[in-house]
Amino acid sequence: MLRQGDILTLLRHFQYHIQYAIPVEIYQGNVYIDVGVLTAVDESFVQLKGTLYNRSKFIFKSRPGY
């Protein structure tokens, strides 16, 4: 669906990454925050390693193969 480095924007992008356990990198602007497999998502937030990230304040990039 998405290639490495592609930005996740749609709810279905996040759901696909959860379903297939594809890692995601999280950035705040150009600053790297974390990487891992998402555990939950809704219209406003995603959860990674027990932390909620606001989808409108962070950038989420596909990172298959991590």
Side-chain angles (χ1 to χ4, degrees), residues 23-42:
V24 172
E25 285 182 325
I26 301 176
Y27 290 85
Q28 189 169 26
N30 291 329
V31 178
Y32 169 82
I33 302 296
D34 206 352
V35 64
V37 176
L38 302 176
T39 54
V41 64
D42 67 17

Side-chain angles (χ1 to χ4, degrees), residues 4-66:
Q4 183 165 329
D6 286 350
I7 296 175
L8 286 67
T9 56
L10 303 175
L11 182 59
R12 70 175 186 230
H13 293 161
F14 292 98
Q15 291 168 335
Y16 180 85
H17 279 68
I18 290 172
Q19 180 179 358
Y20 294 102
I22 300 169
V24 172
E25 285 182 325
I26 301 176
Y27 290 85
Q28 189 169 26
N30 291 329
V31 178
Y32 169 82
I33 302 296
D34 206 352
V35 64
V37 176
L38 302 176
T39 54
V41 64
D42 67 17
E43 290 77 21
S44 300
F45 293 92
V46 299
Q47 184 177 28
L48 176 71
K49 301 177 187 174
T51 302
L52 293 176
Y53 294 93
N54 189 312
R55 287 179 48 189
S56 67
K57 296 186 181 204
F58 293 89
I59 298 168
F60 304 89
K61 293 184 179 181
S62 184
R63 186 68 164 91
Y66 168 76

